[in-house]
Amino acid sequence: MPLVSQKGLSMPESPIRKLVPYAEEAKKKGVKVIHLNIGQPDIKTPQVALDAVKNNTLDVIAYSRTEGSEEYREKLAAYYAKNDIHVTAEDIIVTTGGSEALAFTMGSIADNGDEIIIPEPFYANYNGFATATGVKVVPVISNIDSNFALPAIEEFEKLITPKTKAILICNPGNPTGYLYTREEIKKLAAIVKKHDLFLIADEVYREFTYDGKEHYSILQEEGLEEHAIIVDSVSKRYSMCGARIGCLVTKNQDIIKTAIKFAQARLSPPTYAQIASEAALETPQSYFDDVKEEYVGRRNLLIEELEKIEGIKIGKPQGAFYCIAELPITDADDFAQWLLEDFRLNNETVMVAPAAGFYASEGYGKNQIRIAYVLDKDNLKRAVNILKEALKSYIA
């Protein structure tokens, strides 16, 4: 029979979604599954975005411009200006989710076999995008003992080769919740300028920073105009994951011209989702203030409850809404599947994301899980209690 491609065979499974069949089977048996595995916020989408779609009177759902509507990009530029990121509509390409923005970026900067250095653990789909575009991920390991802070610049220097094209970070980080400091961004800026590399920042969690800390964008750093590329999305900012609208932002016009060609091949981003996303820019600051307060409360509760479990180690998030927890086990994949197939507490169980899939280095993260604290506090507290009792049973 015809064979699938080697590229297809090498595409990694999502550590976030690969256990879904086991969760669905448990639900069919009447078990309540509390989802700690996926960053799908339960926060309501801003009403202004929903109304923009409900009240729209389009007669034809036509193609939009390849780079996104000019009006939306102008309003995006104004949004960035409020965040001390000064770009124009011509520096922005609207994409089908942040995922497409990252795929366009990799396709625009790298050829087959070229390398991108990424601090790990990192968003698992970076592996998938890299495989799909023929890019080699070169990991530099950050450590739970340092709360996943930026590795020493010397560690980056060791990994740079003639094939290195970029350094990629997620700030604040998925899956760690780490927020890079201004000083760390400046260190990265210095190294990409020294070695003539791109610096790519996935900044989709920009609004979610805690403990009085502020987000510092790579496009706020002077002198990075030709090096900096931002990947962004409405998914988490406005709790609009299903809209699938993101953008690529850079002052480097060679990248814009190149990415536009990739964008032309997929014609245009979705029309109705752009309408909703444009309207979402009118969301009042009070919405974000309330959401941030809610996530801080959830984070604090999660950490407090996790710390009650013997033998567990936790990275404390400073942003986003994820946490990496190191468990007193050897195989988190087996544990996660066992939770769904075999463990019940009052006919409930939890679904977690094994963290090995967030690493590129073989063998790392095997005893770690990622927890998304996108549930209300009652569900979070119950979920951690289930986790606590499950570990007792699993280890026994």
Side-chain angles (χ1 to χ4, degrees):
M1 60 178 287
L3 300 176
V4 301
S5 67
Q6 285 301 309
K7 182 182 286 186
L9 291 172
S10 63
M11 277 292 286
E13 283 187 302
S14 167
I16 306 163
R17 295 176 180 268
K18 68 180 182 180
L19 295 171
V20 166
Y22 301 103
E24 293 304 310
E25 190 61 32
K27 290 174 186 176
K28 287 177 183 177
K29 296 175 181 177
V31 178
K32 178 175 180 179
V33 178
I34 302 177
H35 287 268
L36 298 176
N37 63 304
I38 192 164
Q40 171 58 66
D42 62 351
I43 304 295
K44 288 185 178 180
T45 302
Q47 193 62 41
V48 66
L50 299 173
D51 289 344
V53 175
K54 290 177 184 175
N55 301 331
N56 198 276
T57 57
L58 280 181
D59 293 322
V60 177
I61 303 175
Y63 292 126
S64 71
R65 286 177 59 172
T66 290
E67 61 268 51
S69 76
E70 186 168 3
E71 185 178 18
Y72 180 36
R73 287 181 296 114
E74 292 281 3
K75 290 183 179 179
L76 275 173
Y79 156 78
Y80 286 116
K82 291 178 182 177
N83 288 273
D84 197 28
I85 299 169
H86 300 286
V87 293
T88 68
E90 286 67 41
D91 301 324
I92 301 170
I93 299 175
V94 180
T95 57
T96 308
S99 301
E100 190 176 70
L102 187 59
F104 287 174
T105 297
M106 288 188 176
S108 297
I109 70 170
D111 293 310
N112 283 339
D114 283 341
E115 300 170 352
I116 295 179
I117 299 172
I118 314 178
E120 62 179 352
F122 50 74
Y123 176 46
N125 282 337
Y126 294 166
N127 270 327
F129 299 135
T131 300
T133 53
V135 170
K136 180 182 177 183
V137 169
V138 177
V140 55
I141 297 169
S142 62
N143 196 289
I144 194 170
D145 292 322
S146 63
N147 205 30
F148 301 107
L150 185 76
I153 289 300
E154 291 77 15
E155 297 304 310
F156 287 88
E157 296 257 29
K158 292 176 187 175
L159 300 172
I160 294 173
T161 75
K163 284 195 168 289
T164 304
K165 295 296 181 180
I167 295 171
L168 166 61
I169 61 170
C170 184
N171 187 33
N174 173 6
T176 64
Y178 185 77
L179 179 68
Y180 290 99
T181 65
R182 182 182 297 250
E183 290 70 28
E184 287 172 322
I185 296 297
K186 287 183 178 296
K187 287 180 181 178
L188 288 171
I191 196 172
V192 298
K193 285 189 285 187
K194 176 182 176 182
H195 294 277
D196 202 23
L197 307 175
F198 291 102
L199 179 58
I200 309 163
D202 180 341
E203 297 186 354
V204 306
Y205 301 97
R206 181 182 299 107
E207 270 71 18
F208 307 117
T209 62
Y210 313 132
D211 307 325
K213 300 181 186 296
E214 292 187 0
H215 180 265
Y216 186 68
S217 171
I218 61 170
L219 276 176
Q220 290 175 266
E221 180 65 20
E222 291 186 11
L224 272 191
E225 289 78 14
E226 299 303 313
H227 301 264
I229 305 171
I230 286 178
V231 170
D232 211 342
S233 170
V234 304
S235 292
K236 309 307 166 78
R237 181 168 301 131
Y238 306 109
S239 196
M240 290 172 57
C241 296
R244 309 312 306 135
I245 290 290
C247 61
L248 182 161
V249 188
T250 180
K251 291 175 176 284
N252 185 319
Q253 289 305 301
D254 287 338
I255 294 297
I256 291 290
K257 290 173 185 175
T258 305
I260 281 287
K261 292 187 282 187
F262 286 96
Q264 287 170 342
R266 63 85 166 103
L267 304 182
S268 70
T271 299
Y272 263 124
Q274 281 186 88
I275 290 170
S277 300
E278 182 179 328
L281 289 167
E282 304 301 321
T283 303
Q285 182 59 40
S286 58
Y287 173 89
F288 299 107
D289 294 340
D290 291 344
V291 171
K292 184 184 288 192
E293 183 179 353
E294 177 64 24
Y295 279 133
V296 168
R298 292 178 182 187
R299 179 203 63 174
N300 293 346
L301 172 71
L302 175 67
I303 299 300
E304 180 182 330
E305 294 300 314
L306 285 173
E307 286 178 339
K308 295 176 182 177
I309 302 176
E310 186 177 352
I312 203 167
K313 186 183 291 184
I314 311 132
K316 187 176 181 181
Q318 300 162 320
F321 35 69
Y322 305 101
C323 167
I324 289 284
E326 194 166 281
L327 307 179
I329 58 173
T330 57
D331 191 337
D333 281 273
D334 181 76
F335 176 63
Q337 184 173 329
W338 174 82
L339 278 169
L340 295 169
E341 289 189 307
D342 299 317
F343 186 78
R344 310 288 183 259
L345 184 64
N346 299 321
N347 207 38
E348 293 182 330
T349 193
V350 294
M351 187 175 183
V352 297
F358 296 93
Y359 288 82
S361 296
E362 190 68 31
Y364 281 82
K366 291 287 290 180
N367 62 341
Q368 296 175 351
I369 59 172
R370 186 195 74 167
I371 296 172
Y373 49 95
V374 291
L375 306 174
D376 64 55
K377 293 175 185 175
D378 287 342
N379 273 310
L380 270 180
K381 193 165 186 176
R382 289 214 321 283
V384 178
N385 185 53
I386 292 168
L387 194 62
K388 179 181 178 180
E389 296 304 318
L391 282 168
K392 290 179 184 176
S393 178
Y394 185 79
I395 294 169

PDB file of all heavy atoms in Angstrom, residues 57-83:
ATOM      1  N   THR A  57     -24.568  42.411   9.524  1.00  0.00           N
ATOM      2  CA  THR A  57     -25.553  42.275   8.443  1.00  0.00           C
ATOM      3  C   THR A  57     -24.893  41.972   7.101  1.00  0.00           C
ATOM      4  O   THR A  57     -25.394  42.378   6.050  1.00  0.00           O
ATOM      5  CB  THR A  57     -26.386  43.566   8.324  1.00  0.00           C
ATOM      6  OG1 THR A  57     -25.501  44.676   8.113  1.00  0.00           O
ATOM      7  CG2 THR A  57     -27.206  43.788   9.582  1.00  0.00           C
ATOM      8  N   LEU A  58     -23.770  41.259   7.134  1.00  0.00           N
ATOM      9  CA  LEU A  58     -23.105  40.886   5.878  1.00  0.00           C
ATOM     10  C   LEU A  58     -24.050  40.076   4.987  1.00  0.00           C
ATOM     11  O   LEU A  58     -24.751  39.176   5.468  1.00  0.00           O
ATOM     12  CB  LEU A  58     -21.862  40.041   6.167  1.00  0.00           C
ATOM     13  CG  LEU A  58     -20.572  40.748   6.595  1.00  0.00           C
ATOM     14  CD1 LEU A  58     -19.483  39.712   6.811  1.00  0.00           C
ATOM     15  CD2 LEU A  58     -20.129  41.763   5.567  1.00  0.00           C
ATOM     16  N   ASP A  59     -24.054  40.379   3.706  1.00  0.00           N
ATOM     17  CA  ASP A  59     -24.820  39.587   2.743  1.00  0.00           C
ATOM     18  C   ASP A  59     -23.965  38.479   2.128  1.00  0.00           C
ATOM     19  O   ASP A  59     -24.474  37.443   1.706  1.00  0.00           O
ATOM     20  CB  ASP A  59     -25.347  40.496   1.618  1.00  0.00           C
ATOM     21  CG  ASP A  59     -26.381  41.488   2.108  1.00  0.00           C
ATOM     22  OD1 ASP A  59     -27.192  41.107   2.973  1.00  0.00           O
ATOM     23  OD2 ASP A  59     -26.362  42.645   1.649  1.00  0.00           O
ATOM     24  N   VAL A  60     -22.657  38.746   2.067  1.00  0.00           N
ATOM     25  CA  VAL A  60     -21.714  37.769   1.518  1.00  0.00           C
ATOM     26  C   VAL A  60     -20.515  37.675   2.457  1.00  0.00           C
ATOM     27  O   VAL A  60     -19.926  38.693   2.824  1.00  0.00           O
ATOM     28  CB  VAL A  60     -21.218  38.188   0.114  1.00  0.00           C
ATOM     29  CG1 VAL A  60     -20.190  37.179  -0.398  1.00  0.00           C
ATOM     30  CG2 VAL A  60     -22.381  38.296  -0.849  1.00  0.00           C
ATOM     31  N   ILE A  61     -20.170  36.462   2.853  1.00  0.00           N
ATOM     32  CA  ILE A  61     -18.956  36.269   3.657  1.00  0.00           C
ATOM     33  C   ILE A  61     -17.805  36.113   2.667  1.00  0.00           C
ATOM     34  O   ILE A  61     -17.484  35.008   2.215  1.00  0.00           O
ATOM     35  CB  ILE A  61     -19.073  35.049   4.587  1.00  0.00           C
ATOM     36  CG1 ILE A  61     -20.298  35.191   5.493  1.00  0.00           C
ATOM     37  CG2 ILE A  61     -17.803  34.908   5.440  1.00  0.00           C
ATOM     38  CD1 ILE A  61     -20.561  33.977   6.366  1.00  0.00           C
ATOM     39  N   ALA A  62     -17.217  37.233   2.327  1.00  0.00           N
ATOM     40  CA  ALA A  62     -16.209  37.270   1.265  1.00  0.00           C
ATOM     41  C   ALA A  62     -14.803  37.088   1.830  1.00  0.00           C
ATOM     42  O   ALA A  62     -14.578  37.179   3.042  1.00  0.00           O
ATOM     43  CB  ALA A  62     -16.296  38.619   0.538  1.00  0.00           C
ATOM     44  N   TYR A  63     -13.845  36.841   0.915  1.00  0.00           N
ATOM     45  CA  TYR A  63     -12.448  36.858   1.316  1.00  0.00           C
ATOM     46  C   TYR A  63     -12.107  38.239   1.881  1.00  0.00           C
ATOM     47  O   TYR A  63     -12.589  39.267   1.398  1.00  0.00           O
ATOM     48  CB  TYR A  63     -11.530  36.647   0.111  1.00  0.00           C
ATOM     49  CG  TYR A  63     -11.582  35.277  -0.523  1.00  0.00           C
ATOM     50  CD1 TYR A  63     -11.840  35.144  -1.886  1.00  0.00           C
ATOM     51  CD2 TYR A  63     -11.323  34.124   0.216  1.00  0.00           C
ATOM     52  CE1 TYR A  63     -11.858  33.894  -2.500  1.00  0.00           C
ATOM     53  CE2 TYR A  63     -11.342  32.872  -0.382  1.00  0.00           C
ATOM     54  CZ  TYR A  63     -11.619  32.767  -1.739  1.00  0.00           C
ATOM     55  OH  TYR A  63     -11.625  31.535  -2.334  1.00  0.00           O
ATOM     56  N   SER A  64     -11.245  38.244   2.870  1.00  0.00           N
ATOM     57  CA  SER A  64     -10.662  39.516   3.295  1.00  0.00           C
ATOM     58  C   SER A  64      -9.317  39.670   2.590  1.00  0.00           C
ATOM     59  O   SER A  64      -8.915  38.812   1.794  1.00  0.00           O
ATOM     60  CB  SER A  64     -10.459  39.533   4.816  1.00  0.00           C
ATOM     61  OG  SER A  64      -9.406  38.666   5.189  1.00  0.00           O
ATOM     62  N   ARG A  65      -8.609  40.756   2.860  1.00  0.00           N
ATOM     63  CA  ARG A  65      -7.260  40.909   2.318  1.00  0.00           C
ATOM     64  C   ARG A  65      -6.348  39.840   2.901  1.00  0.00           C
ATOM     65  O   ARG A  65      -6.525  39.406   4.046  1.00  0.00           O
ATOM     66  CB  ARG A  65      -6.715  42.301   2.638  1.00  0.00           C
ATOM     67  CG  ARG A  65      -7.340  43.397   1.792  1.00  0.00           C
ATOM     68  CD  ARG A  65      -6.836  44.769   2.188  1.00  0.00           C
ATOM     69  NE  ARG A  65      -5.392  44.914   2.081  1.00  0.00           N
ATOM     70  CZ  ARG A  65      -4.753  46.076   2.221  1.00  0.00           C
ATOM     71  NH1 ARG A  65      -5.440  47.183   2.471  1.00  0.00           N
ATOM     72  NH2 ARG A  65      -3.437  46.137   2.113  1.00  0.00           N
ATOM     73  N   THR A  66      -5.385  39.443   2.126  1.00  0.00           N
ATOM     74  CA  THR A  66      -4.452  38.401   2.570  1.00  0.00           C
ATOM     75  C   THR A  66      -3.819  38.739   3.908  1.00  0.00           C
ATOM     76  O   THR A  66      -3.689  37.884   4.793  1.00  0.00           O
ATOM     77  CB  THR A  66      -3.351  38.197   1.511  1.00  0.00           C
ATOM     78  OG1 THR A  66      -3.932  37.576   0.373  1.00  0.00           O
ATOM     79  CG2 THR A  66      -2.222  37.328   2.036  1.00  0.00           C
ATOM     80  N   GLU A  67      -3.418  40.002   4.092  1.00  0.00           N
ATOM     81  CA  GLU A  67      -2.732  40.417   5.319  1.00  0.00           C
ATOM     82  C   GLU A  67      -3.688  40.824   6.422  1.00  0.00           C
ATOM     83  O   GLU A  67      -3.274  41.256   7.502  1.00  0.00           O
ATOM     84  CB  GLU A  67      -1.767  41.568   5.024  1.00  0.00           C
ATOM     85  CG  GLU A  67      -2.423  42.810   4.474  1.00  0.00           C
ATOM     86  CD  GLU A  67      -2.463  42.849   2.968  1.00  0.00           C
ATOM     87  OE1 GLU A  67      -2.921  41.858   2.355  1.00  0.00           O
ATOM     88  OE2 GLU A  67      -2.030  43.861   2.379  1.00  0.00           O
ATOM     89  N   GLY A  68      -5.004  40.641   6.173  1.00  0.00           N
ATOM     90  CA  GLY A  68      -6.006  41.078   7.137  1.00  0.00           C
ATOM     91  C   GLY A  68      -6.530  42.456   6.764  1.00  0.00           C
ATOM     92  O   GLY A  68      -5.849  43.221   6.075  1.00  0.00           O
ATOM     93  N   SER A  69      -7.731  42.766   7.219  1.00  0.00           N
ATOM     94  CA  SER A  69      -8.329  44.042   6.838  1.00  0.00           C
ATOM     95  C   SER A  69      -7.477  45.209   7.341  1.00  0.00           C
ATOM     96  O   SER A  69      -6.872  45.143   8.409  1.00  0.00           O
ATOM     97  CB  SER A  69      -9.749  44.160   7.410  1.00  0.00           C
ATOM     98  OG  SER A  69      -9.723  44.439   8.791  1.00  0.00           O
ATOM     99  N   GLU A  70      -7.432  46.265   6.537  1.00  0.00           N
ATOM    100  CA  GLU A  70      -6.628  47.422   6.915  1.00  0.00           C
ATOM    101  C   GLU A  70      -7.144  48.059   8.196  1.00  0.00           C
ATOM    102  O   GLU A  70      -6.361  48.478   9.052  1.00  0.00           O
ATOM    103  CB  GLU A  70      -6.621  48.450   5.784  1.00  0.00           C
ATOM    104  CG  GLU A  70      -5.682  49.619   6.060  1.00  0.00           C
ATOM    105  CD  GLU A  70      -5.446  50.488   4.844  1.00  0.00           C
ATOM    106  OE1 GLU A  70      -6.059  50.225   3.787  1.00  0.00           O
ATOM    107  OE2 GLU A  70      -4.633  51.421   4.953  1.00  0.00           O
ATOM    108  N   GLU A  71      -8.461  48.100   8.340  1.00  0.00           N
ATOM    109  CA  GLU A  71      -9.039  48.714   9.541  1.00  0.00           C
ATOM    110  C   GLU A  71      -8.617  47.953  10.794  1.00  0.00           C
ATOM    111  O   GLU A  71      -8.252  48.558  11.812  1.00  0.00           O
ATOM    112  CB  GLU A  71     -10.565  48.743   9.434  1.00  0.00           C
ATOM    113  CG  GLU A  71     -11.231  49.466  10.595  1.00  0.00           C
ATOM    114  CD  GLU A  71     -12.748  49.521  10.445  1.00  0.00           C
ATOM    115  OE1 GLU A  71     -13.300  48.730   9.660  1.00  0.00           O
ATOM    116  OE2 GLU A  71     -13.367  50.354  11.126  1.00  0.00           O
ATOM    117  N   TYR A  72      -8.664  46.627  10.736  1.00  0.00           N
ATOM    118  CA  TYR A  72      -8.263  45.824  11.892  1.00  0.00           C
ATOM    119  C   TYR A  72      -6.779  46.015  12.200  1.00  0.00           C
ATOM    120  O   TYR A  72      -6.385  46.199  13.359  1.00  0.00           O
ATOM    121  CB  TYR A  72      -8.573  44.344  11.637  1.00  0.00           C
ATOM    122  CG  TYR A  72      -8.200  43.424  12.787  1.00  0.00           C
ATOM    123  CD1 TYR A  72      -8.336  43.813  14.118  1.00  0.00           C
ATOM    124  CD2 TYR A  72      -7.699  42.142  12.535  1.00  0.00           C
ATOM    125  CE1 TYR A  72      -7.994  42.958  15.159  1.00  0.00           C
ATOM    126  CE2 TYR A  72      -7.353  41.282  13.561  1.00  0.00           C
ATOM    127  CZ  TYR A  72      -7.494  41.696  14.876  1.00  0.00           C
ATOM    128  OH  TYR A  72      -7.147  40.845  15.907  1.00  0.00           O
ATOM    129  N   ARG A  73      -5.934  46.039  11.169  1.00  0.00           N
ATOM    130  CA  ARG A  73      -4.498  46.195  11.405  1.00  0.00           C
ATOM    131  C   ARG A  73      -4.173  47.588  11.957  1.00  0.00           C
ATOM    132  O   ARG A  73      -3.284  47.740  12.786  1.00  0.00           O
ATOM    133  CB  ARG A  73      -3.725  45.908  10.121  1.00  0.00           C
ATOM    134  CG  ARG A  73      -3.701  44.407   9.780  1.00  0.00           C
ATOM    135  CD  ARG A  73      -2.922  44.079   8.523  1.00  0.00           C
ATOM    136  NE  ARG A  73      -3.522  44.653   7.342  1.00  0.00           N
ATOM    137  CZ  ARG A  73      -2.971  45.592   6.603  1.00  0.00           C
ATOM    138  NH1 ARG A  73      -1.775  46.106   6.926  1.00  0.00           N
ATOM    139  NH2 ARG A  73      -3.583  46.057   5.530  1.00  0.00           N
ATOM    140  N   GLU A  74      -4.903  48.600  11.509  1.00  0.00           N
ATOM    141  CA  GLU A  74      -4.719  49.947  12.071  1.00  0.00           C
ATOM    142  C   GLU A  74      -5.071  49.957  13.554  1.00  0.00           C
ATOM    143  O   GLU A  74      -4.351  50.542  14.381  1.00  0.00           O
ATOM    144  CB  GLU A  74      -5.594  50.957  11.320  1.00  0.00           C
ATOM    145  CG  GLU A  74      -5.177  51.221   9.888  1.00  0.00           C
ATOM    146  CD  GLU A  74      -3.991  52.176   9.777  1.00  0.00           C
ATOM    147  OE1 GLU A  74      -3.450  52.592  10.822  1.00  0.00           O
ATOM    148  OE2 GLU A  74      -3.589  52.479   8.631  1.00  0.00           O
ATOM    149  N   LYS A  75      -6.161  49.287  13.906  1.00  0.00           N
ATOM    150  CA  LYS A  75      -6.575  49.240  15.317  1.00  0.00           C
ATOM    151  C   LYS A  75      -5.602  48.390  16.143  1.00  0.00           C
ATOM    152  O   LYS A  75      -5.358  48.687  17.320  1.00  0.00           O
ATOM    153  CB  LYS A  75      -7.998  48.712  15.430  1.00  0.00           C
ATOM    154  CG  LYS A  75      -9.042  49.695  14.906  1.00  0.00           C
ATOM    155  CD  LYS A  75     -10.452  49.163  15.093  1.00  0.00           C
ATOM    156  CE  LYS A  75     -11.483  50.174  14.592  1.00  0.00           C
ATOM    157  NZ  LYS A  75     -12.878  49.672  14.743  1.00  0.00           N
ATOM    158  N   LEU A  76      -5.056  47.330  15.521  1.00  0.00           N
ATOM    159  CA  LEU A  76      -4.032  46.540  16.215  1.00  0.00           C
ATOM    160  C   LEU A  76      -2.806  47.391  16.507  1.00  0.00           C
ATOM    161  O   LEU A  76      -2.224  47.308  17.604  1.00  0.00           O
ATOM    162  CB  LEU A  76      -3.633  45.328  15.370  1.00  0.00           C
ATOM    163  CG  LEU A  76      -4.482  44.073  15.479  1.00  0.00           C
ATOM    164  CD1 LEU A  76      -4.039  43.043  14.447  1.00  0.00           C
ATOM    165  CD2 LEU A  76      -4.412  43.479  16.879  1.00  0.00           C
ATOM    166  N   ALA A  77      -2.397  48.193  15.542  1.00  0.00           N
ATOM    167  CA  ALA A  77      -1.239  49.072  15.753  1.00  0.00           C
ATOM    168  C   ALA A  77      -1.501  50.023  16.924  1.00  0.00           C
ATOM    169  O   ALA A  77      -0.599  50.291  17.732  1.00  0.00           O
ATOM    170  CB  ALA A  77      -0.936  49.853  14.482  1.00  0.00           C
ATOM    171  N   ALA A  78      -2.738  50.511  17.033  1.00  0.00           N
ATOM    172  CA  ALA A  78      -3.087  51.388  18.154  1.00  0.00           C
ATOM    173  C   ALA A  78      -3.051  50.629  19.473  1.00  0.00           C
ATOM    174  O   ALA A  78      -2.609  51.165  20.501  1.00  0.00           O
ATOM    175  CB  ALA A  78      -4.471  51.993  17.922  1.00  0.00           C
ATOM    176  N   TYR A  79      -3.496  49.379  19.461  1.00  0.00           N
ATOM    177  CA  TYR A  79      -3.418  48.535  20.664  1.00  0.00           C
ATOM    178  C   TYR A  79      -1.964  48.376  21.102  1.00  0.00           C
ATOM    179  O   TYR A  79      -1.623  48.510  22.286  1.00  0.00           O
ATOM    180  CB  TYR A  79      -4.053  47.172  20.400  1.00  0.00           C
ATOM    181  CG  TYR A  79      -3.541  46.071  21.302  1.00  0.00           C
ATOM    182  CD1 TYR A  79      -3.989  45.952  22.619  1.00  0.00           C
ATOM    183  CD2 TYR A  79      -2.566  45.178  20.858  1.00  0.00           C
ATOM    184  CE1 TYR A  79      -3.495  44.960  23.456  1.00  0.00           C
ATOM    185  CE2 TYR A  79      -2.069  44.193  21.690  1.00  0.00           C
ATOM    186  CZ  TYR A  79      -2.534  44.088  22.989  1.00  0.00           C
ATOM    187  OH  TYR A  79      -2.034  43.125  23.826  1.00  0.00           O
ATOM    188  N   TYR A  80      -1.089  48.083  20.147  1.00  0.00           N
ATOM    189  CA  TYR A  80       0.322  47.900  20.496  1.00  0.00           C
ATOM    190  C   TYR A  80       0.931  49.191  21.031  1.00  0.00           C
ATOM    191  O   TYR A  80       1.742  49.164  21.965  1.00  0.00           O
ATOM    192  CB  TYR A  80       1.110  47.378  19.293  1.00  0.00           C
ATOM    193  CG  TYR A  80       0.849  45.927  18.997  1.00  0.00           C
ATOM    194  CD1 TYR A  80       0.260  45.523  17.808  1.00  0.00           C
ATOM    195  CD2 TYR A  80       1.169  44.944  19.937  1.00  0.00           C
ATOM    196  CE1 TYR A  80       0.007  44.186  17.554  1.00  0.00           C
ATOM    197  CE2 TYR A  80       0.913  43.605  19.700  1.00  0.00           C
ATOM    198  CZ  TYR A  80       0.331  43.241  18.501  1.00  0.00           C
ATOM    199  OH  TYR A  80       0.067  41.907  18.269  1.00  0.00           O
ATOM    200  N   ALA A  81       0.531  50.323  20.466  1.00  0.00           N
ATOM    201  CA  ALA A  81       1.059  51.609  20.932  1.00  0.00           C
ATOM    202  C   ALA A  81       0.729  51.821  22.412  1.00  0.00           C
ATOM    203  O   ALA A  81       1.546  52.369  23.162  1.00  0.00           O
ATOM    204  CB  ALA A  81       0.488  52.746  20.095  1.00  0.00           C
ATOM    205  N   LYS A  82      -0.448  51.375  22.834  1.00  0.00           N
ATOM    206  CA  LYS A  82      -0.833  51.485  24.247  1.00  0.00           C
ATOM    207  C   LYS A  82       0.081  50.648  25.134  1.00  0.00           C
ATOM    208  O   LYS A  82       0.185  50.887  26.332  1.00  0.00           O
ATOM    209  CB  LYS A  82      -2.285  51.042  24.443  1.00  0.00           C
ATOM    210  CG  LYS A  82      -3.309  51.984  23.826  1.00  0.00           C
ATOM    211  CD  LYS A  82      -4.720  51.436  24.017  1.00  0.00           C
ATOM    212  CE  LYS A  82      -5.760  52.328  23.360  1.00  0.00           C
ATOM    213  NZ  LYS A  82      -7.136  51.768  23.478  1.00  0.00           N
ATOM    214  N   ASN A  83       0.717  49.649  24.528  1.00  0.00           N
ATOM    215  CA  ASN A  83       1.643  48.774  25.258  1.00  0.00           C
ATOM    216  C   ASN A  83       3.100  49.142  24.980  1.00  0.00           C
ATOM    217  O   ASN A  83       3.994  48.317  25.180  1.00  0.00           O
ATOM    218  CB  ASN A  83       1.376  47.315  24.882  1.00  0.00           C
ATOM    219  CG  ASN A  83       0.080  46.782  25.464  1.00  0.00           C
ATOM    220  OD1 ASN A  83       0.050  46.303  26.588  1.00  0.00           O
ATOM    221  ND2 ASN A  83      -1.000  46.874  24.688  1.00  0.00           N
TER     222      ASN A  83
END
